[in-house]
mmCIF file of all heavy atoms in Angstrom:
data_model
loop_
_atom_site.group_PDB
_atom_site.id
_atom_site.type_symbol
_atom_site.label_atom_id
_atom_site.label_comp_id
_atom_site.label_asym_id
_atom_site.label_seq_id
_atom_site.Cartn_x
_atom_site.Cartn_y
_atom_site.Cartn_z
ATOM 1 N N SER A 1153 -58.103 -20.509 -79.242
ATOM 2 C CA SER A 1153 -57.873 -21.863 -79.761
ATOM 3 C C SER A 1153 -57.242 -21.885 -81.141
ATOM 4 O O SER A 1153 -57.235 -22.912 -81.806
ATOM 5 C CB SER A 1153 -59.202 -22.616 -79.777
ATOM 6 O OG SER A 1153 -60.133 -21.932 -80.596
ATOM 7 N N SER A 1154 -56.739 -20.752 -81.596
ATOM 8 C CA SER A 1154 -56.159 -20.699 -82.947
ATOM 9 C C SER A 1154 -54.951 -21.618 -83.022
ATOM 10 O O SER A 1154 -54.101 -21.667 -82.114
ATOM 11 C CB SER A 1154 -55.704 -19.275 -83.243
ATOM 12 O OG SER A 1154 -56.794 -18.415 -83.328
ATOM 13 N N THR A 1155 -54.902 -22.365 -84.131
ATOM 14 C CA THR A 1155 -53.801 -23.258 -84.387
ATOM 15 C C THR A 1155 -53.316 -23.139 -85.824
ATOM 16 O O THR A 1155 -54.057 -22.654 -86.692
ATOM 17 C CB THR A 1155 -54.172 -24.740 -84.122
ATOM 18 O OG1 THR A 1155 -55.340 -25.048 -84.888
ATOM 19 C CG2 THR A 1155 -54.456 -24.971 -82.675
ATOM 20 N N TYR A 1156 -52.114 -23.584 -86.038
ATOM 21 C CA TYR A 1156 -51.552 -23.646 -87.374
ATOM 22 C C TYR A 1156 -50.894 -25.008 -87.569
ATOM 23 O O TYR A 1156 -50.223 -25.478 -86.639
ATOM 24 C CB TYR A 1156 -50.513 -22.543 -87.588
ATOM 25 C CG TYR A 1156 -49.656 -22.757 -88.804
ATOM 26 C CD1 TYR A 1156 -50.026 -22.313 -90.046
ATOM 27 C CD2 TYR A 1156 -48.435 -23.474 -88.703
ATOM 28 C CE1 TYR A 1156 -49.243 -22.552 -91.181
ATOM 29 C CE2 TYR A 1156 -47.636 -23.705 -89.825
ATOM 30 C CZ TYR A 1156 -48.071 -23.244 -91.040
ATOM 31 O OH TYR A 1156 -47.274 -23.489 -92.127
ATOM 32 N N TYR A 1157 -51.090 -25.636 -88.706
ATOM 33 C CA TYR A 1157 -50.445 -26.883 -89.052
ATOM 34 C C TYR A 1157 -49.823 -26.772 -90.409
ATOM 35 O O TYR A 1157 -50.388 -26.188 -91.337
ATOM 36 C CB TYR A 1157 -51.466 -28.037 -89.045
ATOM 37 C CG TYR A 1157 -52.100 -28.300 -87.700
ATOM 38 C CD1 TYR A 1157 -53.335 -27.771 -87.367
ATOM 39 C CD2 TYR A 1157 -51.432 -29.082 -86.758
ATOM 40 C CE1 TYR A 1157 -53.889 -27.985 -86.097
ATOM 41 C CE2 TYR A 1157 -51.993 -29.321 -85.508
ATOM 42 C CZ TYR A 1157 -53.229 -28.764 -85.187
ATOM 43 O OH TYR A 1157 -53.786 -28.996 -83.954
ATOM 44 N N SER A 1158 -48.648 -27.371 -90.550
ATOM 45 C CA SER A 1158 -48.030 -27.431 -91.863
ATOM 46 C C SER A 1158 -48.848 -28.386 -92.747
ATOM 47 O O SER A 1158 -49.557 -29.265 -92.256
ATOM 48 C CB SER A 1158 -46.596 -27.916 -91.777
ATOM 49 O OG SER A 1158 -46.541 -29.258 -91.337
ATOM 50 N N ASP A 1159 -48.717 -28.228 -94.047
ATOM 51 C CA ASP A 1159 -49.453 -29.129 -94.957
ATOM 52 C C ASP A 1159 -49.081 -30.564 -94.757
ATOM 53 O O ASP A 1159 -49.912 -31.456 -94.969
ATOM 54 C CB ASP A 1159 -49.132 -28.722 -96.399
ATOM 55 C CG ASP A 1159 -49.757 -27.372 -96.783
ATOM 56 O OD1 ASP A 1159 -50.671 -26.901 -96.081
ATOM 57 O OD2 ASP A 1159 -49.315 -26.791 -97.794
ATOM 58 N N SER A 1160 -47.830 -30.810 -94.325
ATOM 59 C CA SER A 1160 -47.369 -32.198 -94.207
ATOM 60 C C SER A 1160 -48.053 -32.964 -93.074
ATOM 61 O O SER A 1160 -48.050 -34.206 -93.070
ATOM 62 C CB SER A 1160 -45.855 -32.234 -94.010
ATOM 63 O OG SER A 1160 -45.517 -31.530 -92.799
ATOM 64 N N VAL A 1161 -48.611 -32.275 -92.101
ATOM 65 C CA VAL A 1161 -49.250 -32.955 -90.942
ATOM 66 C C VAL A 1161 -50.713 -32.608 -90.771
ATOM 67 O O VAL A 1161 -51.384 -33.227 -89.928
ATOM 68 C CB VAL A 1161 -48.477 -32.683 -89.638
ATOM 69 C CG1 VAL A 1161 -46.994 -32.988 -89.788
ATOM 70 C CG2 VAL A 1161 -48.671 -31.245 -89.170
ATOM 71 N N ASN A 1162 -51.203 -31.627 -91.495
ATOM 72 C CA ASN A 1162 -52.582 -31.171 -91.308
ATOM 73 C C ASN A 1162 -53.576 -32.321 -91.495
ATOM 74 O O ASN A 1162 -53.484 -33.067 -92.486
ATOM 75 C CB ASN A 1162 -52.875 -30.038 -92.309
ATOM 76 C CG ASN A 1162 -54.137 -29.307 -91.965
ATOM 77 O OD1 ASN A 1162 -54.542 -29.259 -90.801
ATOM 78 N ND2 ASN A 1162 -54.775 -28.700 -92.967
ATOM 79 N N GLY A 1163 -54.448 -32.470 -90.529
ATOM 80 C CA GLY A 1163 -55.432 -33.546 -90.598
ATOM 81 C C GLY A 1163 -54.995 -34.829 -89.894
ATOM 82 O O GLY A 1163 -55.802 -35.727 -89.663
ATOM 83 N N ARG A 1164 -53.709 -34.908 -89.551
ATOM 84 C CA ARG A 1164 -53.197 -36.126 -88.891
ATOM 85 C C ARG A 1164 -52.691 -35.812 -87.472
ATOM 86 O O ARG A 1164 -52.753 -36.681 -86.585
ATOM 87 C CB ARG A 1164 -52.070 -36.714 -89.729
ATOM 88 C CG ARG A 1164 -52.489 -37.170 -91.111
ATOM 89 C CD ARG A 1164 -51.341 -37.919 -91.817
ATOM 90 N NE ARG A 1164 -50.164 -37.073 -92.015
ATOM 91 C CZ ARG A 1164 -48.946 -37.376 -91.521
ATOM 92 N NH1 ARG A 1164 -48.746 -38.470 -90.843
ATOM 93 N NH2 ARG A 1164 -47.933 -36.538 -91.781
ATOM 94 N N PHE A 1165 -52.094 -34.649 -87.280
ATOM 95 C CA PHE A 1165 -51.538 -34.279 -85.983
ATOM 96 C C PHE A 1165 -52.392 -33.202 -85.318
ATOM 97 O O PHE A 1165 -53.006 -32.382 -86.005
ATOM 98 C CB PHE A 1165 -50.106 -33.693 -86.176
ATOM 99 C CG PHE A 1165 -49.071 -34.670 -86.647
ATOM 100 C CD1 PHE A 1165 -49.407 -35.954 -87.056
ATOM 101 C CD2 PHE A 1165 -47.728 -34.296 -86.649
ATOM 102 C CE1 PHE A 1165 -48.419 -36.858 -87.468
ATOM 103 C CE2 PHE A 1165 -46.745 -35.190 -87.044
ATOM 104 C CZ PHE A 1165 -47.089 -36.443 -87.483
ATOM 105 N N THR A 1166 -52.399 -33.227 -84.008
ATOM 106 C CA THR A 1166 -53.158 -32.225 -83.234
ATOM 107 C C THR A 1166 -52.286 -31.735 -82.077
ATOM 108 O O THR A 1166 -51.717 -32.526 -81.344
ATOM 109 C CB THR A 1166 -54.440 -32.842 -82.677
ATOM 110 O OG1 THR A 1166 -55.239 -33.374 -83.749
ATOM 111 C CG2 THR A 1166 -55.249 -31.794 -81.937
ATOM 112 N N ILE A 1167 -52.247 -30.411 -81.941
ATOM 113 C CA ILE A 1167 -51.540 -29.796 -80.825
ATOM 114 C C ILE A 1167 -52.551 -29.451 -79.730
ATOM 115 O O ILE A 1167 -53.678 -28.995 -80.037
ATOM 116 C CB ILE A 1167 -50.762 -28.566 -81.268
ATOM 117 C CG1 ILE A 1167 -49.829 -28.052 -80.166
ATOM 118 C CG2 ILE A 1167 -51.667 -27.439 -81.783
ATOM 119 C CD1 ILE A 1167 -48.863 -26.965 -80.628
ATOM 120 N N SER A 1168 -52.196 -29.738 -78.489
ATOM 121 C CA SER A 1168 -53.121 -29.422 -77.379
ATOM 122 C C SER A 1168 -52.296 -28.991 -76.163
ATOM 123 O O SER A 1168 -51.068 -29.166 -76.153
ATOM 124 C CB SER A 1168 -54.019 -30.595 -77.055
ATOM 125 O OG SER A 1168 -53.259 -31.673 -76.530
ATOM 126 N N ARG A 1169 -52.980 -28.470 -75.135
ATOM 127 C CA ARG A 1169 -52.265 -28.013 -73.982
ATOM 128 C C ARG A 1169 -53.066 -28.294 -72.720
ATOM 129 O O ARG A 1169 -54.307 -28.343 -72.747
ATOM 130 C CB ARG A 1169 -51.940 -26.525 -74.092
ATOM 131 C CG ARG A 1169 -53.172 -25.608 -74.121
ATOM 132 C CD ARG A 1169 -52.831 -24.223 -74.626
ATOM 133 N NE ARG A 1169 -51.837 -23.579 -73.770
ATOM 134 C CZ ARG A 1169 -51.036 -22.615 -74.197
ATOM 135 N NH1 ARG A 1169 -51.053 -22.205 -75.447
ATOM 136 N NH2 ARG A 1169 -50.175 -22.067 -73.358
ATOM 137 N N ASP A 1170 -52.391 -28.398 -71.584
ATOM 138 C CA ASP A 1170 -53.013 -28.495 -70.282
ATOM 139 C C ASP A 1170 -52.259 -27.518 -69.401
ATOM 140 O O ASP A 1170 -51.181 -27.823 -68.838
ATOM 141 C CB ASP A 1170 -52.869 -29.933 -69.743
ATOM 142 C CG ASP A 1170 -53.584 -30.123 -68.426
ATOM 143 O OD1 ASP A 1170 -53.834 -29.118 -67.709
ATOM 144 O OD2 ASP A 1170 -53.872 -31.257 -68.040
ATOM 145 N N ASN A 1171 -52.827 -26.338 -69.263
ATOM 146 C CA ASN A 1171 -52.117 -25.290 -68.523
ATOM 147 C C ASN A 1171 -51.976 -25.623 -67.034
ATOM 148 O O ASN A 1171 -50.976 -25.204 -66.408
ATOM 149 C CB ASN A 1171 -52.843 -23.952 -68.656
ATOM 150 C CG ASN A 1171 -52.724 -23.370 -70.057
ATOM 151 O OD1 ASN A 1171 -51.764 -23.603 -70.762
ATOM 152 N ND2 ASN A 1171 -53.713 -22.588 -70.455
ATOM 153 N N ASP A 1172 -52.895 -26.400 -66.505
ATOM 154 C CA ASP A 1172 -52.795 -26.792 -65.078
ATOM 155 C C ASP A 1172 -51.557 -27.660 -64.839
ATOM 156 O O ASP A 1172 -50.984 -27.637 -63.757
ATOM 157 C CB ASP A 1172 -54.043 -27.500 -64.643
ATOM 158 C CG ASP A 1172 -55.268 -26.590 -64.575
ATOM 159 O OD1 ASP A 1172 -55.066 -25.370 -64.464
ATOM 160 O OD2 ASP A 1172 -56.396 -27.117 -64.657
ATOM 161 N N ARG A 1173 -51.183 -28.433 -65.853
ATOM 162 C CA ARG A 1173 -50.011 -29.291 -65.735
ATOM 163 C C ARG A 1173 -48.786 -28.648 -66.346
ATOM 164 O O ARG A 1173 -47.708 -29.288 -66.341
ATOM 165 C CB ARG A 1173 -50.276 -30.634 -66.434
ATOM 166 C CG ARG A 1173 -51.404 -31.458 -65.802
ATOM 167 C CD ARG A 1173 -51.621 -32.750 -66.584
ATOM 168 N NE ARG A 1173 -52.696 -33.545 -66.017
ATOM 169 C CZ ARG A 1173 -52.554 -34.433 -65.057
ATOM 170 N NH1 ARG A 1173 -51.383 -34.657 -64.513
ATOM 171 N NH2 ARG A 1173 -53.601 -35.085 -64.622
ATOM 172 N N ASN A 1174 -48.942 -27.431 -66.859
ATOM 173 C CA ASN A 1174 -47.839 -26.741 -67.535
ATOM 174 C C ASN A 1174 -47.240 -27.599 -68.627
ATOM 175 O O ASN A 1174 -46.012 -27.627 -68.824
ATOM 176 C CB ASN A 1174 -46.749 -26.343 -66.538
ATOM 177 C CG ASN A 1174 -46.365 -24.886 -66.661
ATOM 178 O OD1 ASN A 1174 -47.211 -24.003 -66.740
ATOM 179 N ND2 ASN A 1174 -45.060 -24.590 -66.661
ATOM 180 N N THR A 1175 -48.099 -28.276 -69.360
ATOM 181 C CA THR A 1175 -47.668 -29.263 -70.364
ATOM 182 C C THR A 1175 -48.458 -29.076 -71.640
ATOM 183 O O THR A 1175 -49.649 -28.714 -71.600
ATOM 184 C CB THR A 1175 -47.892 -30.693 -69.830
ATOM 185 O OG1 THR A 1175 -47.168 -30.848 -68.606
ATOM 186 C CG2 THR A 1175 -47.407 -31.721 -70.819
ATOM 187 N N PHE A 1176 -47.792 -29.281 -72.788
ATOM 188 C CA PHE A 1176 -48.528 -29.364 -74.028
ATOM 189 C C PHE A 1176 -48.126 -30.588 -74.804
ATOM 190 O O PHE A 1176 -47.118 -31.247 -74.478
ATOM 191 C CB PHE A 1176 -48.441 -28.078 -74.832
ATOM 192 C CG PHE A 1176 -47.068 -27.650 -75.305
ATOM 193 C CD1 PHE A 1176 -46.677 -27.891 -76.630
ATOM 194 C CD2 PHE A 1176 -46.191 -26.958 -74.481
ATOM 195 C CE1 PHE A 1176 -45.438 -27.467 -77.066
ATOM 196 C CE2 PHE A 1176 -44.994 -26.531 -74.923
ATOM 197 C CZ PHE A 1176 -44.588 -26.769 -76.239
ATOM 198 N N TYR A 1177 -48.925 -30.933 -75.813
ATOM 199 C CA TYR A 1177 -48.810 -32.247 -76.431
ATOM 200 C C TYR A 1177 -48.848 -32.129 -77.941
ATOM 201 O O TYR A 1177 -49.359 -31.140 -78.506
ATOM 202 C CB TYR A 1177 -50.001 -33.133 -75.982
ATOM 203 C CG TYR A 1177 -50.148 -33.247 -74.511
ATOM 204 C CD1 TYR A 1177 -51.047 -32.416 -73.828
ATOM 205 C CD2 TYR A 1177 -49.404 -34.149 -73.767
ATOM 206 C CE1 TYR A 1177 -51.172 -32.465 -72.447
ATOM 207 C CE2 TYR A 1177 -49.554 -34.227 -72.369
ATOM 208 C CZ TYR A 1177 -50.435 -33.395 -71.740
ATOM 209 O OH TYR A 1177 -50.571 -33.476 -70.369
ATOM 210 N N LEU A 1178 -48.370 -33.186 -78.606
ATOM 211 C CA LEU A 1178 -48.551 -33.366 -80.042
ATOM 212 C C LEU A 1178 -49.109 -34.772 -80.241
ATOM 213 O O LEU A 1178 -48.394 -35.736 -79.981
ATOM 214 C CB LEU A 1178 -47.256 -33.193 -80.812
ATOM 215 C CG LEU A 1178 -47.404 -33.255 -82.334
ATOM 216 C CD1 LEU A 1178 -48.236 -32.082 -82.845
ATOM 217 C CD2 LEU A 1178 -46.047 -33.289 -83.009
ATOM 218 N N HIS A 1179 -50.347 -34.872 -80.647
ATOM 219 C CA HIS A 1179 -50.979 -36.142 -80.918
ATOM 220 C C HIS A 1179 -50.763 -36.460 -82.386
ATOM 221 O O HIS A 1179 -51.216 -35.703 -83.245
ATOM 222 C CB HIS A 1179 -52.472 -36.076 -80.609
ATOM 223 C CG HIS A 1179 -52.805 -35.578 -79.229
ATOM 224 N ND1 HIS A 1179 -53.057 -36.407 -78.188
ATOM 225 C CD2 HIS A 1179 -52.878 -34.327 -78.737
ATOM 226 C CE1 HIS A 1179 -53.329 -35.698 -77.098
ATOM 227 N NE2 HIS A 1179 -53.208 -34.430 -77.400
ATOM 228 N N MET A 1180 -50.089 -37.558 -82.665
ATOM 229 C CA MET A 1180 -49.744 -37.910 -84.013
ATOM 230 C C MET A 1180 -50.468 -39.181 -84.423
ATOM 231 O O MET A 1180 -50.237 -40.238 -83.808
ATOM 232 C CB MET A 1180 -48.240 -38.069 -84.154
ATOM 233 C CG MET A 1180 -47.445 -36.852 -83.677
ATOM 234 S SD MET A 1180 -45.676 -37.019 -83.996
ATOM 235 C CE MET A 1180 -45.257 -38.307 -82.837
ATOM 236 N N ASN A 1181 -51.276 -39.114 -85.425
ATOM 237 C CA ASN A 1181 -52.013 -40.257 -85.964
ATOM 238 C C ASN A 1181 -51.638 -40.468 -87.438
ATOM 239 O O ASN A 1181 -51.150 -39.539 -88.097
ATOM 240 C CB ASN A 1181 -53.514 -40.039 -85.827
ATOM 241 C CG ASN A 1181 -53.950 -39.901 -84.382
ATOM 242 O OD1 ASN A 1181 -53.569 -40.658 -83.513
ATOM 243 N ND2 ASN A 1181 -54.798 -38.909 -84.108
ATOM 244 N N GLY A 1182 -51.932 -41.618 -87.944
ATOM 245 C CA GLY A 1182 -51.635 -41.908 -89.345
ATOM 246 C C GLY A 1182 -50.202 -41.688 -89.688
ATOM 247 O O GLY A 1182 -49.884 -41.132 -90.756
ATOM 248 N N LEU A 1183 -49.284 -42.130 -88.842
ATOM 249 C CA LEU A 1183 -47.872 -41.857 -89.051
ATOM 250 C C LEU A 1183 -47.365 -42.473 -90.325
ATOM 251 O O LEU A 1183 -47.774 -43.559 -90.749
ATOM 252 C CB LEU A 1183 -47.045 -42.373 -87.860
ATOM 253 C CG LEU A 1183 -47.168 -41.506 -86.603
ATOM 254 C CD1 LEU A 1183 -46.654 -42.272 -85.359
ATOM 255 C CD2 LEU A 1183 -46.379 -40.221 -86.778
ATOM 256 N N LYS A 1184 -46.450 -41.735 -90.963
ATOM 257 C CA LYS A 1184 -45.792 -42.136 -92.207
ATOM 258 C C LYS A 1184 -44.310 -42.200 -92.013
ATOM 259 O O LYS A 1184 -43.762 -41.489 -91.140
ATOM 260 C CB LYS A 1184 -46.154 -41.151 -93.322
ATOM 261 C CG LYS A 1184 -47.616 -40.914 -93.548
ATOM 262 C CD LYS A 1184 -47.836 -39.835 -94.576
ATOM 263 C CE LYS A 1184 -49.327 -39.553 -94.791
ATOM 264 N NZ LYS A 1184 -49.543 -38.466 -95.808
ATOM 265 N N PRO A 1185 -43.591 -42.975 -92.835
ATOM 266 C CA PRO A 1185 -42.141 -42.995 -92.712
ATOM 267 C C PRO A 1185 -41.508 -41.605 -92.814
ATOM 268 O O PRO A 1185 -40.514 -41.329 -92.135
ATOM 269 C CB PRO A 1185 -41.725 -43.892 -93.874
ATOM 270 C CG PRO A 1185 -42.869 -44.841 -94.020
ATOM 271 C CD PRO A 1185 -44.079 -43.999 -93.758
ATOM 272 N N GLU A 1186 -42.110 -40.726 -93.600
ATOM 273 C CA GLU A 1186 -41.573 -39.373 -93.743
ATOM 274 C C GLU A 1186 -41.792 -38.487 -92.516
ATOM 275 O O GLU A 1186 -41.297 -37.362 -92.460
ATOM 276 C CB GLU A 1186 -42.134 -38.703 -94.981
ATOM 277 C CG GLU A 1186 -43.635 -38.722 -95.094
ATOM 278 C CD GLU A 1186 -44.165 -39.844 -95.979
ATOM 279 O OE1 GLU A 1186 -43.627 -40.976 -95.856
ATOM 280 O OE2 GLU A 1186 -45.090 -39.584 -96.764
ATOM 281 N N ASP A 1187 -42.508 -39.008 -91.515
ATOM 282 C CA ASP A 1187 -42.618 -38.288 -90.259
ATOM 283 C C ASP A 1187 -41.428 -38.540 -89.351
ATOM 284 O O ASP A 1187 -41.312 -37.922 -88.281
ATOM 285 C CB ASP A 1187 -43.898 -38.718 -89.523
ATOM 286 C CG ASP A 1187 -45.173 -38.293 -90.222
ATOM 287 O OD1 ASP A 1187 -45.199 -37.141 -90.732
ATOM 288 O OD2 ASP A 1187 -46.129 -39.094 -90.273
ATOM 289 N N THR A 1188 -40.546 -39.417 -89.754
ATOM 290 C CA THR A 1188 -39.362 -39.673 -88.972
ATOM 291 C C THR A 1188 -38.503 -38.413 -88.810
ATOM 292 O O THR A 1188 -38.313 -37.686 -89.792
ATOM 293 C CB THR A 1188 -38.517 -40.775 -89.635
ATOM 294 O OG1 THR A 1188 -39.228 -42.011 -89.614
ATOM 295 C CG2 THR A 1188 -37.165 -40.972 -88.968
ATOM 296 N N GLY A 1189 -38.043 -38.178 -87.573
ATOM 297 C CA GLY A 1189 -37.196 -37.025 -87.361
ATOM 298 C C GLY A 1189 -37.077 -36.713 -85.887
ATOM 299 O O GLY A 1189 -37.588 -37.430 -85.042
ATOM 300 N N ILE A 1190 -36.392 -35.643 -85.602
ATOM 301 C CA ILE A 1190 -36.258 -35.134 -84.222
ATOM 302 C C ILE A 1190 -37.307 -34.064 -84.003
ATOM 303 O O ILE A 1190 -37.382 -33.058 -84.775
ATOM 304 C CB ILE A 1190 -34.850 -34.541 -83.984
ATOM 305 C CG1 ILE A 1190 -33.795 -35.638 -84.125
ATOM 306 C CG2 ILE A 1190 -34.772 -33.950 -82.584
ATOM 307 C CD1 ILE A 1190 -32.380 -35.145 -84.101
ATOM 308 N N TYR A 1191 -38.130 -34.272 -82.999
ATOM 309 C CA TYR A 1191 -39.216 -33.352 -82.690
ATOM 310 C C TYR A 1191 -38.838 -32.493 -81.480
ATOM 311 O O TYR A 1191 -38.483 -33.028 -80.437
ATOM 312 C CB TYR A 1191 -40.498 -34.134 -82.413
ATOM 313 C CG TYR A 1191 -41.126 -34.731 -83.653
ATOM 314 C CD1 TYR A 1191 -40.504 -35.757 -84.339
ATOM 315 C CD2 TYR A 1191 -42.331 -34.221 -84.136
ATOM 316 C CE1 TYR A 1191 -41.084 -36.256 -85.510
ATOM 317 C CE2 TYR A 1191 -42.894 -34.754 -85.278
ATOM 318 C CZ TYR A 1191 -42.286 -35.782 -85.944
ATOM 319 O OH TYR A 1191 -42.852 -36.276 -87.135
ATOM 320 N N THR A 1192 -38.994 -31.208 -81.677
ATOM 321 C CA THR A 1192 -38.607 -30.232 -80.656
ATOM 322 C C THR A 1192 -39.806 -29.375 -80.302
ATOM 323 O O THR A 1192 -40.526 -28.931 -81.187
ATOM 324 C CB THR A 1192 -37.469 -29.356 -81.169
ATOM 325 O OG1 THR A 1192 -36.358 -30.160 -81.581
ATOM 326 C CG2 THR A 1192 -37.005 -28.371 -80.093
ATOM 327 N N CYS A 1193 -40.000 -29.161 -79.013
ATOM 328 C CA CYS A 1193 -41.066 -28.240 -78.601
ATOM 329 C C CYS A 1193 -40.470 -26.880 -78.279
ATOM 330 O O CYS A 1193 -39.276 -26.788 -77.949
ATOM 331 C CB CYS A 1193 -41.848 -28.777 -77.429
ATOM 332 S SG CYS A 1193 -40.949 -28.921 -75.863
ATOM 333 N N ALA A 1194 -41.290 -25.829 -78.415
ATOM 334 C CA ALA A 1194 -40.810 -24.489 -78.157
ATOM 335 C C ALA A 1194 -41.988 -23.590 -77.748
ATOM 336 O O ALA A 1194 -43.136 -23.938 -78.012
ATOM 337 C CB ALA A 1194 -40.152 -23.942 -79.437
ATOM 338 N N VAL A 1195 -41.656 -22.484 -77.124
ATOM 339 C CA VAL A 1195 -42.692 -21.551 -76.697
ATOM 340 C C VAL A 1195 -42.297 -20.116 -77.091
ATOM 341 O O VAL A 1195 -41.109 -19.818 -77.287
ATOM 342 C CB VAL A 1195 -42.928 -21.632 -75.181
ATOM 343 C CG1 VAL A 1195 -43.465 -22.976 -74.785
ATOM 344 C CG2 VAL A 1195 -41.684 -21.263 -74.391
#
Side-chain angles (χ1 to χ4, degrees):
S1153 59
S1154 295
T1155 55
Y1156 165 87
Y1157 296 97
S1158 67
D1159 290 343
S1160 61
V1161 306
N1162 194 27
R1164 299 187 298 122
F1165 292 9
T1166 303
I1167 189 170
S1168 67
R1169 65 195 300 155
D1170 184 341
N1171 289 333
D1172 291 338
R1173 296 178 182 274
N1174 231 46
T1175 302
F1176 62 101
Y1177 307 95
L1178 184 66
H1179 307 263
M1180 305 186 291
N1181 298 314
L1183 285 164
K1184 304 176 181 180
E1186 51 263 43
D1187 292 319
T1188 294
I1190 297 173
Y1191 286 69
T1192 304
C1193 66
V1195 297

